[in-house]
Amino acid sequence: MTTRTRFLATIPLIWLFFWLAISSMAGDSPTMDEQNHLARGVAYLKTGDPRLSVEHPPLVNGLSALPVVTLPDLVLPLADPSWQERFPPMTFWYTFAERFMWQLGNDVDRMVFLGRLPIVFLTLGLALLGLVVAQSLWGRPAGWWAFAFLLFDPNLIAHGRYITTDLGGAFFIFLATWAIWRLFAGGGRPAARRVAASLAIGLAFSAKLTSLAFIPGWILLVFLPPRAGREPYGRGAARRLGLLAAAGLASLLVVWAVYLFEWGSFLFIDDRLRWLNDFRGPMPTFWSGIERVTLLSGGGRPSFLWGAFSTEGFWTYFPIAFAVKTPLLILALLLGTAAALWQSGGARRRALWWGIPPAGYFLLTLNSGLNIGYRHLLPILPFIYVVIAGWCGRWLPLFSWRRSPGGHLLLLFSSVIAAGILVPALWIYPHYLSYFNPLAGGPANGYFILVDSNVDWGQDLFRLRDWMAENDVDAVKLAWFGTADPAYYGIPVETLPGVPYGFNLWWEETFDRQNPPPGIYAISVTNLWELPLRPEEKTVFAYFRAREPDDRVGYSLLIYRVGAAADG
């Protein structure tokens, strides 16, 4: 099969991806974090001020906002107190975003749709980058396998449609590692490779602060020659370390440029760093963001895992999340690839090189107290898929089966694997955020294991409106886990304890908890577990946890009919 034919073969896959991503995202209401990310991006592009981009650098938010700022009559609440503080508290970011989205007459649906489109294209870009990397490492067949893996992973599709930094961070981290590979491997013009590495690392730092967790892995790579088959592991390490250090220092200029050469006083909040606030320097927002993320990673936010609660995090959280939300086919191929590549010297070295950065990052997540979603594992997926593609490209020759021993059998096996890649993406459509594999009992059982952005991020508000119309329901009692405003979409609700709407109601006796009044209750699965409350306080929805729901909206909202409503 010619290169042109192979290229043409990808066009139906790209169109299928676009249909799955765009049609499903149109049915998802604005999710929990999207309003904050969109407000940051629009404010950054409109004012040139990154003051809201503390925990999240402005690059990906700015890309999302590019089509949005072209809208006429777009209004920002720049006169609001939430904008006036240079480094506002987190509550101010939410206030600014809420006013921007819901209170100033902006067209929310159009803004959200346009803001999501750049992330969809970044997802396609990640798949194309995986194709290039895998093809360079293992040959052409491996490139096509990597392309398919990255294009149809349900978790990548899920977050590859939202205005957040998770997918963009994964793309730029992978791009930076590819640039470091080329920097170390040599060939071409040395100056061009150094510039490319500096630019790619700078873009990674400007996309998501998670990229900083890859620095230890990148440093370890200096001891592993990327290409030489028998060269000792440590040979040339000093030269590569110098190249990496130079690229890393130069990358800070790229970061500074993304922050529009911001210069000002530092505003650290940790007592150990407050003395630095007497000084001025470049991109103080970036350095403050590193401090905030470090403090958040230490714990303090409530997390849930398989019926247990913690504010310090679970070291088993991300291993379990990876096991229950990664497609079973990928888990099997990962184990098979690890066993197969370990038997091959040259392939083993390349696989080890590309396995070190994600392994180092994964180990760091075990110590993280910020247990809020599988989305924090997205940066490791491109690495995994490129390594798996190496094995698939060698043993599953889709395009050269006629020249392979037992070609027809290999073609059949390859076709089964290819179908296995598509099945999860087609099966879970359009509920990508709520994907769980059969090991977890599927998406309907997922909320017993994980909550928050793993299953429930406020994406089913439109579907609740449709369910109410189909079932002639005039109003519901809503415990909402989401920032989208039901009133904006004309949904009559009685607000129950929730996050963020109804947050103060958690500590008030708003209804009889043992014998709730009659009505139709719609409870987000995250709120069902009452995360804001201490274990001894979790009595608000105990009545509902003790019974099966009467219906579901998507996989994030449970419907309960109580009293007279149960007979309706």
Side-chain angles (χ1 to χ4, degrees):
M1 185 178 286
T2 65
T3 301
R4 180 183 178 185
T5 305
R6 291 191 185 108
F7 172 75
L8 292 175
T10 66
I11 294 179
L13 297 179
I14 293 174
W15 279 114
L16 176 59
F17 162 75
F18 273 120
W19 181 80
L20 294 173
I22 294 177
S23 62
S24 63
M25 88 179 190
D28 283 2
S29 49
T31 57
M32 176 70 81
D33 288 1
E34 283 187 285
Q35 68 176 31
N36 299 332
H37 287 285
L38 183 59
R40 286 189 191 104
V42 172
Y44 167 71
L45 293 185
K46 283 282 192 178
T47 69
D49 191 330
R51 69 178 62 192
L52 298 180
S53 302
V54 179
E55 293 179 13
H56 300 275
L59 176 60
V60 179
N61 290 161
L63 291 175
S64 283
L66 276 174
V68 179
V69 296
T70 63
L71 293 175
D73 304 321
L74 195 67
V75 182
L76 278 171
L78 299 179
D80 192 83
S82 58
W83 175 259
Q84 297 306 312
E85 277 199 50
R86 181 166 155 248
F87 282 0
M90 186 182 297
T91 54
F92 278 33
W93 305 342
Y94 282 96
T95 300
F96 181 89
E98 187 162 337
R99 298 208 195 302
F100 169 65
M101 290 284 284
W102 311 109
Q103 300 174 13
L104 298 179
N106 290 317
D107 188 339
V108 173
D109 291 339
R110 182 173 293 183
M111 288 195 307
V112 170
F113 184 83
L114 291 175
R116 288 171 170 176
L117 284 179
I119 307 301
V120 173
F121 281 98
L122 272 180
T123 307
L124 175 59
L126 179 62
L128 291 171
L129 178 61
L131 185 153
V132 171
V133 174
Q135 182 172 290
S136 174
L137 295 174
W138 319 103
R140 288 179 179 174
W144 302 114
W145 282 109
F147 181 71
F149 286 135
L150 289 165
L151 208 55
F152 295 109
D153 181 292
N155 295 292
L156 289 173
I157 296 177
H159 296 282
R161 309 163 303 141
Y162 291 152
I163 308 169
T164 63
T165 57
D166 298 303
L167 194 286
F171 172 83
F172 285 108
I173 288 168
F174 191 55
L175 178 66
T177 309
W178 171 236
I180 292 170
W181 166 276
R182 293 177 60 83
L183 178 69
F184 290 173
R189 297 181 179 179
R193 288 186 284 108
R194 293 171 186 176
V195 169
S198 301
L199 180 61
I201 294 171
L203 292 175
F205 292 160
S206 304
K208 194 170 180 66
L209 292 179
T210 297
S211 57
L212 299 173
F214 276 76
I215 293 177
W218 290 338
I219 292 175
L220 286 176
L221 294 180
V222 306
F223 298 100
L224 186 62
R227 289 194 185 278
R230 298 183 180 179
E231 185 177 347
Y233 283 140
R235 180 172 295 177
R239 178 185 65 84
R240 290 188 290 273
L241 182 61
L243 291 172
L244 181 62
L249 289 174
S251 74
L252 294 179
L253 293 175
V254 178
V255 179
W256 195 17
V258 171
Y259 277 86
L260 303 177
F261 300 103
E262 180 193 28
W263 185 279
S265 301
F266 298 105
L267 285 175
F268 293 110
I269 58 177
D270 192 309
D271 290 337
R272 295 167 295 181
L273 299 175
R274 285 182 182 273
W275 62 275
L276 291 171
N277 295 343
D278 295 330
F279 300 92
R280 294 170 58 83
M283 50 186 183
T285 304
F286 176 73
W287 304 116
S288 182
I290 294 175
E291 180 200 31
R292 301 279 180 96
V293 168
T294 302
L295 293 175
L296 280 173
S297 298
R301 290 185 64 170
S303 55
F304 171 88
L305 178 63
W306 231 316
F309 304 88
S310 174
T311 56
E312 304 302 320
F314 304 90
W315 76 265
T316 55
Y317 182 90
F318 287 107
I320 290 174
F322 186 78
V324 298
K325 283 188 69 70
T326 303
L328 288 181
L329 172 67
I330 302 307
L331 294 177
L333 288 176
L334 180 60
L335 292 175
T337 301
L341 289 180
W342 194 253
Q343 305 302 317
S344 175
R348 180 176 64 212
R349 176 168 291 198
R350 290 194 297 274
L352 181 62
W353 200 99
W354 283 91
I356 285 175
Y361 173 76
F362 189 79
L363 290 174
L364 288 175
T365 67
L366 303 184
N367 195 43
S368 173
L370 194 62
N371 294 168
I372 57 175
Y374 183 97
R375 60 194 175 93
H376 288 172
L377 293 179
L378 295 188
I380 74 173
L381 296 184
F383 296 87
I384 289 174
Y385 286 141
V386 161
V387 173
I388 292 176
W391 182 87
C392 291
R394 179 177 179 183
W395 297 107
L396 304 175
L398 272 175
F399 300 115
S400 58
W401 59 272
R402 289 187 179 89
R403 299 191 300 271
S404 304
H408 287 85
L409 184 61
L410 286 176
L411 177 63
L412 176 62
F413 191 47
S414 299
S415 301
V416 170
I417 298 296
I421 295 172
L422 288 174
V423 165
L426 297 174
W427 169 67
I428 194 61
Y429 172 89
H431 307 290
Y432 289 106
L433 194 71
S434 302
Y435 176 80
F436 282 82
N437 64 35
L439 191 66
N445 192 59
Y447 72 95
F448 290 104
I449 306 171
L450 301 166
V451 292
D452 205 295
S453 61
N454 298 291
V455 60
D456 168 27
W457 226 11
Q459 74 273 19
D460 284 325
L461 191 61
F462 298 160
R463 298 181 183 100
L464 175 63
R465 181 181 59 190
D466 295 341
W467 180 89
M468 291 171 66
E470 292 168 4
N471 291 273
D472 296 321
V473 173
D474 295 327
V476 295
K477 302 175 187 293
L478 180 63
W480 181 231
F481 186 77
T483 52
D485 185 359
Y488 181 88
Y489 294 106
I491 304 175
V493 302
E494 177 185 330
T495 302
L496 298 177
V499 179
Y501 292 110
F503 187 79
N504 293 330
L505 299 179
W506 287 109
W507 296 272
E508 298 179 11
E509 293 286 343
T510 54
F511 63 94
D512 187 339
R513 300 177 180 183
Q514 280 71 44
N515 187 25
I520 297 178
Y521 292 74
I523 302 176
S524 291
V525 296
T526 301
N527 286 333
L528 186 71
W529 295 106
E530 306 176 33
L531 258 63
L533 303 180
R534 295 190 298 269
E536 65 274 13
E537 297 176 323
K538 295 182 186 296
T539 61
V540 177
F541 296 125
Y543 169 88
F544 298 97
R545 288 196 297 274
R547 57 171 283 189
E548 289 292 318
D550 297 298
D551 206 345
R552 297 172 184 267
V553 175
Y555 294 102
S556 73
L557 280 168
L558 304 178
I559 304 296
Y560 299 88
R561 297 179 182 270
V562 177
D567 303 322

PDB file of all heavy atoms in Angstrom, residues 178-193:
ATOM      1  N   TRP A 178       9.418  14.962  22.660  1.00  0.00           N
ATOM      2  CA  TRP A 178       9.862  14.667  21.297  1.00  0.00           C
ATOM      3  C   TRP A 178      11.007  15.595  20.897  1.00  0.00           C
ATOM      4  O   TRP A 178      11.992  15.151  20.276  1.00  0.00           O
ATOM      5  CB  TRP A 178       8.675  14.800  20.351  1.00  0.00           C
ATOM      6  CG  TRP A 178       8.971  14.731  18.873  1.00  0.00           C
ATOM      7  CD1 TRP A 178       8.648  15.658  17.936  1.00  0.00           C
ATOM      8  CD2 TRP A 178       9.616  13.672  18.163  1.00  0.00           C
ATOM      9  NE1 TRP A 178       9.041  15.255  16.673  1.00  0.00           N
ATOM     10  CE2 TRP A 178       9.652  14.029  16.793  1.00  0.00           C
ATOM     11  CE3 TRP A 178      10.170  12.459  18.551  1.00  0.00           C
ATOM     12  CZ2 TRP A 178      10.209  13.216  15.816  1.00  0.00           C
ATOM     13  CZ3 TRP A 178      10.739  11.643  17.573  1.00  0.00           C
ATOM     14  CH2 TRP A 178      10.758  12.026  16.229  1.00  0.00           C
ATOM     15  N   ALA A 179      10.899  16.857  21.263  1.00  0.00           N
ATOM     16  CA  ALA A 179      11.970  17.803  20.947  1.00  0.00           C
ATOM     17  C   ALA A 179      13.250  17.458  21.705  1.00  0.00           C
ATOM     18  O   ALA A 179      14.365  17.617  21.175  1.00  0.00           O
ATOM     19  CB  ALA A 179      11.517  19.226  21.282  1.00  0.00           C
ATOM     20  N   ILE A 180      13.125  16.983  22.940  1.00  0.00           N
ATOM     21  CA  ILE A 180      14.306  16.576  23.715  1.00  0.00           C
ATOM     22  C   ILE A 180      14.942  15.340  23.084  1.00  0.00           C
ATOM     23  O   ILE A 180      16.175  15.218  23.014  1.00  0.00           O
ATOM     24  CB  ILE A 180      13.912  16.326  25.185  1.00  0.00           C
ATOM     25  CG1 ILE A 180      13.524  17.647  25.853  1.00  0.00           C
ATOM     26  CG2 ILE A 180      15.055  15.665  25.955  1.00  0.00           C
ATOM     27  CD1 ILE A 180      12.885  17.492  27.212  1.00  0.00           C
ATOM     28  N   TRP A 181      14.131  14.390  22.624  1.00  0.00           N
ATOM     29  CA  TRP A 181      14.655  13.217  21.907  1.00  0.00           C
ATOM     30  C   TRP A 181      15.501  13.651  20.716  1.00  0.00           C
ATOM     31  O   TRP A 181      16.624  13.164  20.511  1.00  0.00           O
ATOM     32  CB  TRP A 181      13.486  12.328  21.469  1.00  0.00           C
ATOM     33  CG  TRP A 181      13.845  11.286  20.446  1.00  0.00           C
ATOM     34  CD1 TRP A 181      13.914  11.447  19.089  1.00  0.00           C
ATOM     35  CD2 TRP A 181      14.204   9.928  20.696  1.00  0.00           C
ATOM     36  NE1 TRP A 181      14.269  10.276  18.476  1.00  0.00           N
ATOM     37  CE2 TRP A 181      14.464   9.314  19.440  1.00  0.00           C
ATOM     38  CE3 TRP A 181      14.318   9.154  21.849  1.00  0.00           C
ATOM     39  CZ2 TRP A 181      14.827   7.989  19.315  1.00  0.00           C
ATOM     40  CZ3 TRP A 181      14.676   7.822  21.725  1.00  0.00           C
ATOM     41  CH2 TRP A 181      14.938   7.246  20.477  1.00  0.00           C
ATOM     42  N   ARG A 182      14.969  14.559  19.917  1.00  0.00           N
ATOM     43  CA  ARG A 182      15.692  15.016  18.731  1.00  0.00           C
ATOM     44  C   ARG A 182      16.938  15.807  19.117  1.00  0.00           C
ATOM     45  O   ARG A 182      17.963  15.739  18.433  1.00  0.00           O
ATOM     46  CB  ARG A 182      14.767  15.860  17.860  1.00  0.00           C
ATOM     47  CG  ARG A 182      13.619  15.060  17.242  1.00  0.00           C
ATOM     48  CD  ARG A 182      12.677  15.945  16.449  1.00  0.00           C
ATOM     49  NE  ARG A 182      13.354  16.620  15.356  1.00  0.00           N
ATOM     50  CZ  ARG A 182      13.594  16.086  14.167  1.00  0.00           C
ATOM     51  NH1 ARG A 182      13.194  14.841  13.928  1.00  0.00           N
ATOM     52  NH2 ARG A 182      14.199  16.760  13.228  1.00  0.00           N
ATOM     53  N   LEU A 183      16.856  16.540  20.231  1.00  0.00           N
ATOM     54  CA  LEU A 183      18.021  17.286  20.709  1.00  0.00           C
ATOM     55  C   LEU A 183      19.154  16.333  21.071  1.00  0.00           C
ATOM     56  O   LEU A 183      20.321  16.577  20.742  1.00  0.00           O
ATOM     57  CB  LEU A 183      17.618  18.122  21.934  1.00  0.00           C
ATOM     58  CG  LEU A 183      18.728  18.936  22.608  1.00  0.00           C
ATOM     59  CD1 LEU A 183      19.194  20.076  21.709  1.00  0.00           C
ATOM     60  CD2 LEU A 183      18.242  19.477  23.951  1.00  0.00           C
ATOM     61  N   PHE A 184      18.815  15.236  21.745  1.00  0.00           N
ATOM     62  CA  PHE A 184      19.830  14.277  22.181  1.00  0.00           C
ATOM     63  C   PHE A 184      20.308  13.379  21.040  1.00  0.00           C
ATOM     64  O   PHE A 184      21.464  12.966  21.017  1.00  0.00           O
ATOM     65  CB  PHE A 184      19.270  13.395  23.302  1.00  0.00           C
ATOM     66  CG  PHE A 184      19.061  14.103  24.606  1.00  0.00           C
ATOM     67  CD1 PHE A 184      18.426  13.460  25.661  1.00  0.00           C
ATOM     68  CD2 PHE A 184      19.489  15.408  24.796  1.00  0.00           C
ATOM     69  CE1 PHE A 184      18.233  14.093  26.863  1.00  0.00           C
ATOM     70  CE2 PHE A 184      19.299  16.058  26.008  1.00  0.00           C
ATOM     71  CZ  PHE A 184      18.661  15.399  27.045  1.00  0.00           C
ATOM     72  N   ALA A 185      19.409  13.068  20.097  1.00  0.00           N
ATOM     73  CA  ALA A 185      19.741  12.089  19.061  1.00  0.00           C
ATOM     74  C   ALA A 185      20.681  12.637  18.001  1.00  0.00           C
ATOM     75  O   ALA A 185      21.364  11.882  17.315  1.00  0.00           O
ATOM     76  CB  ALA A 185      18.457  11.583  18.401  1.00  0.00           C
ATOM     77  N   GLY A 186      20.726  13.954  17.839  1.00  0.00           N
ATOM     78  CA  GLY A 186      21.587  14.541  16.830  1.00  0.00           C
ATOM     79  C   GLY A 186      20.965  14.475  15.452  1.00  0.00           C
ATOM     80  O   GLY A 186      19.807  14.078  15.282  1.00  0.00           O
ATOM     81  N   GLY A 187      21.742  14.858  14.476  1.00  0.00           N
ATOM     82  CA  GLY A 187      21.241  14.917  13.105  1.00  0.00           C
ATOM     83  C   GLY A 187      20.654  16.272  12.806  1.00  0.00           C
ATOM     84  O   GLY A 187      20.174  16.981  13.692  1.00  0.00           O
ATOM     85  N   GLY A 188      20.683  16.644  11.529  1.00  0.00           N
ATOM     86  CA  GLY A 188      20.148  17.934  11.147  1.00  0.00           C
ATOM     87  C   GLY A 188      21.020  19.077  11.641  1.00  0.00           C
ATOM     88  O   GLY A 188      22.212  18.908  11.915  1.00  0.00           O
ATOM     89  N   ARG A 189      20.440  20.237  11.766  1.00  0.00           N
ATOM     90  CA  ARG A 189      21.183  21.419  12.213  1.00  0.00           C
ATOM     91  C   ARG A 189      21.126  21.523  13.739  1.00  0.00           C
ATOM     92  O   ARG A 189      20.037  21.640  14.306  1.00  0.00           O
ATOM     93  CB  ARG A 189      20.593  22.670  11.584  1.00  0.00           C
ATOM     94  CG  ARG A 189      20.697  22.699  10.059  1.00  0.00           C
ATOM     95  CD  ARG A 189      20.109  23.969   9.506  1.00  0.00           C
ATOM     96  NE  ARG A 189      20.218  24.025   8.049  1.00  0.00           N
ATOM     97  CZ  ARG A 189      19.763  25.027   7.318  1.00  0.00           C
ATOM     98  NH1 ARG A 189      19.142  26.059   7.903  1.00  0.00           N
ATOM     99  NH2 ARG A 189      19.910  25.003   6.003  1.00  0.00           N
ATOM    100  N   PRO A 190      22.266  21.506  14.418  1.00  0.00           N
ATOM    101  CA  PRO A 190      22.259  21.565  15.885  1.00  0.00           C
ATOM    102  C   PRO A 190      21.540  22.798  16.433  1.00  0.00           C
ATOM    103  O   PRO A 190      20.792  22.698  17.415  1.00  0.00           O
ATOM    104  CB  PRO A 190      23.753  21.585  16.242  1.00  0.00           C
ATOM    105  CG  PRO A 190      24.426  20.933  15.079  1.00  0.00           C
ATOM    106  CD  PRO A 190      23.629  21.329  13.877  1.00  0.00           C
ATOM    107  N   ALA A 191      21.749  23.941  15.795  1.00  0.00           N
ATOM    108  CA  ALA A 191      21.113  25.162  16.291  1.00  0.00           C
ATOM    109  C   ALA A 191      19.585  25.056  16.198  1.00  0.00           C
ATOM    110  O   ALA A 191      18.865  25.478  17.119  1.00  0.00           O
ATOM    111  CB  ALA A 191      21.604  26.377  15.505  1.00  0.00           C
ATOM    112  N   ALA A 192      19.085  24.476  15.119  1.00  0.00           N
ATOM    113  CA  ALA A 192      17.638  24.327  14.949  1.00  0.00           C
ATOM    114  C   ALA A 192      17.068  23.392  16.007  1.00  0.00           C
ATOM    115  O   ALA A 192      15.978  23.635  16.546  1.00  0.00           O
ATOM    116  CB  ALA A 192      17.324  23.805  13.555  1.00  0.00           C
ATOM    117  N   ARG A 193      17.804  22.313  16.316  1.00  0.00           N
ATOM    118  CA  ARG A 193      17.321  21.379  17.335  1.00  0.00           C
ATOM    119  C   ARG A 193      17.284  22.050  18.709  1.00  0.00           C
ATOM    120  O   ARG A 193      16.358  21.804  19.498  1.00  0.00           O
ATOM    121  CB  ARG A 193      18.218  20.138  17.375  1.00  0.00           C
ATOM    122  CG  ARG A 193      18.040  19.235  16.153  1.00  0.00           C
ATOM    123  CD  ARG A 193      18.825  17.941  16.294  1.00  0.00           C
ATOM    124  NE  ARG A 193      20.260  18.133  16.079  1.00  0.00           N
ATOM    125  CZ  ARG A 193      21.180  18.101  17.027  1.00  0.00           C
ATOM    126  NH1 ARG A 193      20.836  17.873  18.280  1.00  0.00           N
ATOM    127  NH2 ARG A 193      22.460  18.279  16.741  1.00  0.00           N
TER     128      ARG A 193
END
